[in-house]
Amino acid sequence: MPSTNGSSKHYVYAKSTSGTFPVSTLCGRCSGLVTKPKYHKNMDLGTKKVVLDKTILLEQADAVELVMGEEITLMNWGNAFVRDVTRRDKDGPVTNMLLELHLQGDVKKTRKVTWLATTAHNLVPVDMVSFDHLITKAKLDKADVLEECLTPQTEFRDEAFADCNVAELEPGAVVQFERKGYYVLDGQRLADGGSRMVFFNVPSGRA
């Protein structure tokens, strides 16, 4: 069981293979800033900021599964109905959605969806990095040729956005991204005149 000691939950949205983020517009009053527990099972970890906005980003993998009329749960916010879905073409990626908030809805029987408000200060550029084993076998035999057993690609990097809470983290901090897993903040790298926070995946939940 991964340790949550000292960790907190944040949102992250990796780019889809199409390179697009579905943009959702919400009906109803939905702008502001609220505080939520970092981890609802351990209140001692404190609280985090959750930015609400009329326009939010979803992950492509979630958006393509949603259907019009479905009631979903926007995690750390509440329920909403899917009122419209726009695709680039019939079988292409989702580009826009229209959601109607239904905050009094029952969250127990709905699909859970992570999201990110599109306000500028809440879109923190991050790199999510994971690693594979260096060799393709658990143990090399005497007859094996090392070069033939090397894994072709061992590093995988996704450019993404995380919420504003990650800006307060120090290098070495271990955090849990909702529905993604545990990561350790390695530092920052320069990119396109700015910088991106770099997180390494921690499969065991321990750095």
Side-chain angles (χ1 to χ4, degrees), residues 1-202:
M1 179 69 179
S3 171
T4 58
N5 184 30
S7 68
S8 57
K9 290 191 174 183
H10 302 278
Y11 308 118
V12 62
Y13 295 84
K15 285 187 178 180
S16 67
T17 53
S18 63
T20 61
F21 289 105
V23 177
S24 298
T25 302
L26 291 98
C27 300
R29 297 182 60 184
C30 49
S31 296
L33 178 68
V34 297
T35 57
K36 296 284 185 176
K38 286 183 176 179
Y39 186 53
H40 70 279
K41 293 184 179 180
N42 186 353
M43 303 301 289
D44 292 338
L45 292 177
T47 60
K48 64 180 178 181
K49 294 174 285 189
V50 178
V51 180
L52 309 180
D53 192 68
K54 191 175 183 64
T55 305
I56 62 175
L57 300 181
L58 302 181
E59 280 199 288
Q60 190 65 234
D62 287 328
V64 296
E65 297 293 329
L66 303 182
V67 296
M68 284 189 287
E70 180 180 2
E71 185 174 7
I72 63 174
T73 296
L74 300 172
M75 295 178 66
N76 286 294
W77 192 345
N79 283 14
F81 287 107
V82 179
R83 294 307 187 195
D84 191 31
V85 179
T86 302
R87 293 176 178 267
R88 184 173 296 171
D89 50 58
K90 182 180 179 181
D91 298 315
V94 174
T95 56
N96 291 278
M97 302 183 70
L98 179 64
L99 305 177
E100 180 182 354
L101 287 175
H102 183 235
L103 300 182
Q104 66 271 33
D106 186 357
V107 302
K108 295 181 180 179
K109 299 180 180 180
T110 55
R111 189 195 308 265
K112 307 302 185 287
V113 179
T114 46
W115 54 277
L116 189 64
T118 58
T119 54
H121 73 282
N122 195 50
L123 296 176
V124 180
V126 297
D127 283 1
M128 311 302 294
V129 185
S130 59
F131 300 95
D132 198 355
H133 296 287
L134 294 177
I135 58 176
T136 57
K137 302 179 64 175
K139 182 179 180 180
L140 293 176
D141 297 323
K142 290 184 178 180
D144 287 329
V145 178
L146 176 61
E147 289 75 10
E148 296 177 354
C149 298
L150 296 177
T151 304
Q153 182 178 358
T154 58
E155 179 181 314
F156 302 88
R157 184 181 296 261
D158 286 316
E159 292 188 348
F161 289 119
D163 71 38
C164 60
N165 293 282
V166 299
E168 303 172 357
L169 298 174
E170 297 291 338
V174 179
V175 298
Q176 183 183 8
F177 286 98
E178 289 184 343
R179 302 170 64 210
K180 298 298 183 185
Y182 288 85
Y183 287 78
V184 58
L185 175 59
D186 180 65
Q188 296 192 357
R189 72 175 178 91
L190 297 178
D192 301 325
S195 63
R196 306 181 66 88
M197 301 180 74
V198 180
F199 289 88
F200 289 165
N201 180 238
V202 184

